Amino acid sequence: METTLRGVGVSHGVAIGEVRHMGTAVLEPPAKQIPAADAEREQGRARQAVDAVAADLIARGNLAGGEAQAVLEAQAMMAQDPELMADVDRRIAVGSTAERAVYDAFAAYRALLAGAGEYLAGRVADLDDVRNRIVARLLGVPMPGVPDSDEPYVLIARDLAPADTALLDPTLVLGFVTEEGGPTSHSAILARALGVPAVVALPGAGELAEGTVIAVDGSTGEIFVEPSAEKKAQLQAAAAQRKAALAASTGPGATSDGHKVPLLANVGGPADVPAAVAAGAEGVGLFRTEFLFLDDSKNAPSEAKQVEAYRQVLEAFPEGRVVVRVLDAGADKPLDFLTPADEPNPALGVRGLRTLLDHPDVLRTQLTALAKAAEGLPVHLEVMAPMVADRVDAKAFADACRAAGLRAKFGAMVEIPSAALRARSILREVEFLSLGTNDLAQYTFAADRQVGAVSRLQDPWQPALLDLVALSAEAARAEGKSCGVCGEAASDPLLACVLIGLGVTSLSMGAASIPYVRASLAKYTLAQCERAAAAARAADSAEEARDAAQGVLSGE
């Protein structure tokens, strides 16, 4: 009998197939004592396993490229964390086996983070995956992971670690469903990059029996268990209709009455550029530069290395707009040479621009490299700072840009509510705003973007978040400047219309989402988008806001 479940849709498309479950986690190693004479040998085994797992994660990242590469390199750094390894060595020295010492050291670190309520508590899926990989290697057992299957299937998991998501085979994995995660989790971001339909934060997903046929709608978040032939046909027809609309929609982004909406791509490095160009991106709205700094957590990349990487991206968009975000270190992207190791709450500490202002040489080198990379190119370079809190921050960044001789527009990211509330003040120092809706939601609702239990508060349809977007856009319009969105909210075709109705001037997203958003905008006038935005802001919950906007745009 057909039943319907609802999670959070995070990647467009429809998948219909049999359920296959993710491999089970590594069993807990037995707690047994070793002779003191064996301690050095066990410590060596532990180090070899850790180094092998880190190398494997980096290799997987090199194969995946783009955003996945940066995520997996960060996970490799987690595996080799010096404090964790010191704890492993200590436990072995007092009698633990290598595998038990790794298991217990990671468990202690996990409990410490959860107990302290730190931002990194949201990375438990990544942490558990690293532990499982090291323990599996030490025990000599197969790595838990994506099931072997000759037939396509829908993957079900409690959560998906980046190492698994990055290398999913879209010809076999039709879609996936997880119990944990949220719309801005690593799994969701990588699913969109792969173009695989996905639903996250679905309670009880693990209870779906192996082999059960389900239909996954990655747009609505609905899961249809044992769907009828009629339901299958309905979903497939809707999917075909969407595909036809995508094929028919080409060229620059615009509403049906000709209001221009530049559609830009989020890129994590040169590897993401081909997909952005193929999708018809009109430029880059968010060039994440962290990939350069994750190669070596102890040293900043040289100016020459930075110039080479930046120029590859700038050359791909002649006459286009490329918005570069300077290094956003701290919180979930710690770097040994920059970020303090003992902050009680890294998300609320020294991160983003605060880190760079504490290390002006790192900022100066990056800005100088960007200036040199843009020399002689017709590209419209814009550079923005992450985690700007107020006008003082904005002025400090603009001053640094000018001191480095950078001929570009300087901008500020709006990721902290104070920046939205005082946007007009900030715009006295910079030339544009870019809304990072992922972090803006996190700080507005005190809801970690990686924790499934609070995923409803990470929903970009939350009316309070829409209010902050509107405040920022109104301030930019009053100052005659631009205000874009580069968070994951821009990848939702319906929400994209609402954002334009709120006054946002450009949208930046993963390349795979650009055709969907372009087709959606082309169906409505600017006035319709404005009415939908007003209806969404008048609602009291994310679900009501979405339904209200949908009602306006569908003429109900």
Side-chain angles (χ1 to χ4, degrees):
M1 181 177 175
E2 179 181 312
T3 57
T4 304
L5 308 173
R6 183 184 285 274
V8 179
V10 295
S11 185
H12 306 298
V14 171
I16 302 174
E18 292 188 0
V19 162
R20 294 285 183 275
H21 286 270
M22 196 76 168
T24 55
V26 174
L27 294 175
E28 181 178 345
K32 61 181 182 181
Q33 290 291 109
I34 60 168
D38 292 345
E40 189 173 344
R41 178 176 60 83
E42 288 295 289
Q43 287 169 341
R45 286 182 64 228
R47 281 191 290 273
Q48 287 177 354
V50 165
D51 290 344
V53 166
D56 178 61
L57 290 168
I58 290 171
R60 285 169 175 257
N62 290 337
L63 283 173
E67 292 188 62
Q69 184 171 8
V71 170
L72 291 171
E73 286 175 350
Q75 207 178 6
M77 287 166 54
M78 184 185 291
Q80 295 176 305
D81 181 273
E83 290 186 19
L84 264 174
M85 283 310 300
D87 190 20
V88 170
D89 284 344
R90 183 187 62 78
R91 291 171 186 274
I92 292 173
V94 295
S96 283
T97 61
E99 48 267 34
R100 186 70 206 192
V102 168
Y103 186 90
D104 288 341
F106 272 79
Y109 186 45
R110 193 181 196 274
L112 177 68
L113 293 179
E118 294 187 5
Y119 177 83
L120 288 178
R123 299 290 187 222
V124 290
D126 297 18
L127 189 68
D128 289 349
D129 182 59
V130 171
R131 177 205 64 202
N132 290 348
R133 290 175 185 279
I134 298 170
V135 172
R137 184 171 288 273
L138 286 166
L139 290 174
V141 300
M143 190 70 63
V146 178
D148 290 327
S149 176
D150 295 329
E151 297 296 323
Y153 59 90
V154 177
L155 181 62
I156 307 292
R158 185 181 65 80
D159 203 347
L160 282 172
D164 295 314
T165 316
L167 297 181
L168 288 178
D169 182 352
T171 63
L172 282 176
V173 181
L174 302 171
F176 68 75
V177 181
T178 66
E179 291 192 44
E180 297 293 326
T184 59
S185 64
H186 283 154
S187 295
I189 292 170
L190 295 178
R192 285 189 285 272
L194 287 167
V196 176
V199 171
V200 301
L202 179 71
E207 297 171 14
L208 291 167
E210 190 87 1
T212 303
V213 175
I214 65 171
V216 179
D217 190 329
S219 300
T220 65
E222 291 175 303
I223 306 292
F224 302 96
V225 183
E226 298 290 1
S228 64
E230 183 182 0
K231 175 59 71 175
K232 287 182 185 178
Q234 179 185 342
L235 290 169
Q236 288 166 337
Q241 188 177 14
R242 282 198 291 264
K243 189 173 181 180
L246 294 181
S249 178
T250 57
T255 58
S256 63
D257 56 339
H259 176 73
K260 292 183 179 179
V261 182
L263 300 180
L264 312 170
N266 294 344
V267 303
D272 288 347
V273 168
V277 172
E282 297 167 57
V284 173
L286 172 61
F287 179 9
R288 302 181 180 94
T289 56
E290 289 74 42
F291 74 102
L292 279 167
F293 294 80
L294 291 170
D295 285 344
D296 181 355
S297 70
K298 299 187 185 303
N299 302 286
S302 67
E303 181 184 295
K305 182 177 180 180
Q306 292 189 56
V307 170
E308 181 184 2
Y310 301 150
R311 196 168 179 90
Q312 286 182 55
V313 175
L314 296 177
E315 286 177 336
F317 295 95
E319 305 293 340
R321 177 186 179 200
V322 176
V323 184
V324 180
R325 181 182 70 191
V326 293
L327 175 64
D328 184 13
D332 61 332
K333 296 183 283 284
L335 295 170
D336 291 348
F337 67 94
L338 279 183
T339 48
D342 57 352
E343 282 193 297
N345 192 334
L348 301 179
V350 182
R351 65 165 295 197
L353 179 61
R354 299 168 188 174
T355 302
L356 293 174
L357 293 179
D358 277 355
H359 296 81
D361 54 325
V362 175
L363 177 58
R364 183 167 51 251
T365 299
Q366 184 169 27
L367 294 174
T368 302
L370 284 165
K372 291 182 177 180
E375 283 178 3
L377 296 180
V379 69
H380 299 288
L381 175 63
E382 302 184 14
V383 182
M384 62 185 181
M387 303 303 294
V388 171
D390 57 14
R391 184 174 180 174
V392 173
D393 279 352
K395 184 179 187 305
F397 178 65
D399 287 346
C401 290
R402 283 188 283 266
L406 191 60
R407 294 183 179 178
K409 285 186 175 182
F410 318 141
M413 291 197 71
V414 177
E415 300 168 284
I416 304 172
S418 64
L421 294 168
R422 301 289 294 172
R424 195 159 184 180
S425 171
I426 287 172
L427 283 164
R428 305 273 161 75
E429 303 294 343
V430 296
E431 298 171 83
F432 69 93
L433 299 177
S434 183
L435 287 141
T437 52
N438 306 348
D439 269 323
L440 185 57
Q442 173 171 255
Y443 290 121
T444 299
F445 297 104
D448 192 316
R449 55 192 283 193
Q450 295 297 319
V451 178
V454 293
S455 62
R456 77 172 186 86
L457 296 172
Q458 267 291 331
D459 192 326
W461 282 95
Q462 284 285 354
L465 188 66
L466 299 181
D467 287 344
L468 292 174
V469 172
L471 277 174
S472 303
E474 288 164 7
R477 183 166 53 244
E479 292 294 322
K481 296 179 179 179
S482 63
C483 177
V485 168
C486 64
E488 292 301 314
S491 64
D492 180 333
L494 180 61
L495 184 52
C497 298
V498 167
L499 294 173
I500 297 308
L502 293 172
V504 166
T505 55
S506 66
L507 300 170
S508 188
M509 64 208 77
S513 297
I514 290 175
Y516 291 92
V517 172
R518 182 192 293 120
S520 181
L521 288 172
K523 290 159 56 177
Y524 308 111
T525 64
L526 177 59
Q528 284 177 298
C529 293
E530 290 171 340
R531 288 197 295 275
R537 287 185 69 189
D540 290 319
S541 71
E543 189 171 350
E544 288 176 10
R546 186 185 292 106
D547 290 345
Q550 182 68 71
V552 169
L553 294 177
S554 62
E556 294 177 2

